[in-house]
């Protein structure tokens, strides 16, 4: 499988934003958009919005995902949500290892690996995130850091059918600062090499300050298979413009 046969994915991470009225309105705008996209559209609302947004998206081509999951299917884990619960709510995807989870909750590669495995067991597609800090980038360690993190974050159950990789340089998330395109190309190529026999078929997204005015350039390289979009996914016009650039 080549870049020409990997269907692009534009994923929107709403993070901790939205209530029922505005979240459903946003989902409704996306569900009503034309369906002739070159990319699959996916939105990941907060857990409180999954059920109502799932109802809005029913019958549309827009997919639904969770922002995180626990490694266990059930149990005494107050405040957590399992991959099985996400699937039951209508999700097909779940983000694992987002840099904000890794930093704020000290999630290690081992924790991310366990969560991705749980997603696979629940029949979900795991979006496994890796990225380097500004200090690591400036020290010339970006590729070494992200490839080591990817190796340690992928469970044995990883396949192109159940896993998407997201490269999100930590220093670019929400800052407006972007790597140059050659840097994105280099990291994506390094990640694809780590994937071995699955490399040609696995989708690798770019994430970090993706906006309508830079989406075309970021999505142009053949090794970039879509985008993980943060703030711009909270605007239907911006998110659809990014999808249209794919």
């Amino acid at each position: 499988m080549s870049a020409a046969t990997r269907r692009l994915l534009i994923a929107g991470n709403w993070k901790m934003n939205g209530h029922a009225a505005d979240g459903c309105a946003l989902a409704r705008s996306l569900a009503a958009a034309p369906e002739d996209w070159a990319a699959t559209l996916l939105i990941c609302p907060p857990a409180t919005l999954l059920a109502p947004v799932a109802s809005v998206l029913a019958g549309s081509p827009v997919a639904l995902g969770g922002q995180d999951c626990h490694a266990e299917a059930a149990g005494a884990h107050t405040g957590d949500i399992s991959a099985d619960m996400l699937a039951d709510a209508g999700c097909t995807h779940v983000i694992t290892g987002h840099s904000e989870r890794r930093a704020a909750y000290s999630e290690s590669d081992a924790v991310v690996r366990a969560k991705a495995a749980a997603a696979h067991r629940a029949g979900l597609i795991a979006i496994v995130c890796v990225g380097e800090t500004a200090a690591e980038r400036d020290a010339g360690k970006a590729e070494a850091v992200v490839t080591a993190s990817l190796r340690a974050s992928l469970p044995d159950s990883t396949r192109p059918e159940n896993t998407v990789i997201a490269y999100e340089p930590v220093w670019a998330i929400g800052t407006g600062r972007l790597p140059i395109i050659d840097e994105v190309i280099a990291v994506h190529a390094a990640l694809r090499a780590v994937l071995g026999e699955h490399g040609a078929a696995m989708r690798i997204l770019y994430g970090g300050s993706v906006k309508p005015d830079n989406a075309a350039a970021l999505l142009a390289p053949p090794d970039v298979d879509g985008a993980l979009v943060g703030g711009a996914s909270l605007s239907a016009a911006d998110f659809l413009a990014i999808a249209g650039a794919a």
Side-chain angles (χ1 to χ4, degrees), residues 159-235:
R159 300 291 184 273
E161 297 78 18
N162 65 14
T163 307
V164 173
I165 310 304
Y167 166 55
E168 43 160 28
V170 178
W171 47 270
I173 298 172
T175 66
R177 179 185 172 192
L178 291 170
I180 63 174
I181 297 302
D182 285 349
E183 291 172 339
V184 174
I185 292 171
V187 172
H188 278 237
L191 292 172
R192 200 170 297 284
V194 166
L195 295 168
E197 63 178 317
H198 299 308
M202 191 80 74
R203 288 178 292 179
I204 304 178
L205 314 182
Y206 171 78
S209 293
V210 180
K211 302 182 185 305
D213 61 358
N214 61 34
L218 289 169
L219 295 171
D223 264 343
V224 178
D225 303 312
L228 180 57
V229 184
S233 69
L234 297 174
S235 161

Side-chain angles (χ1 to χ4, degrees), residues 14 20 23-24 27-28 43-58 64-66 81 85-91:
W14 292 5
C24 287
R28 197 171 295 112
I43 54 175
C44 300
T48 55
L49 297 185
L50 289 174
V53 168
S55 296
V56 171
L57 297 180
L64 181 69
I81 187 167
M85 290 173 174
L86 293 176
D88 187 55
C91 292

Side-chain angles (χ1 to χ4, degrees), residues 102 108-110 112-113 128-132 136 141-155 165 167 187 190-195:
R102 289 178 183 264
S108 65
D109 292 330
V112 176
R113 177 186 175 96
V128 180
C129 303
V130 294
E132 82 281 3
E136 290 164 340
K141 298 178 180 179
E143 290 182 31
V145 167
V146 298
T147 53
S149 181
L150 184 63
R151 288 189 184 96
S153 297
L154 295 180
I165 310 304
Y167 166 55
V187 172
L191 292 172
R192 200 170 297 284
V194 166
L195 295 168

Side-chain angles (χ1 to χ4, degrees), residues 59-89:
S60 84
V62 182
L64 181 69
Q67 296 179 13
D68 183 45
C69 69
H70 197 278
E72 299 296 329
H77 306 290
T78 301
D80 282 310
I81 187 167
S82 73
D84 297 80
M85 290 173 174
L86 293 176
D88 187 55

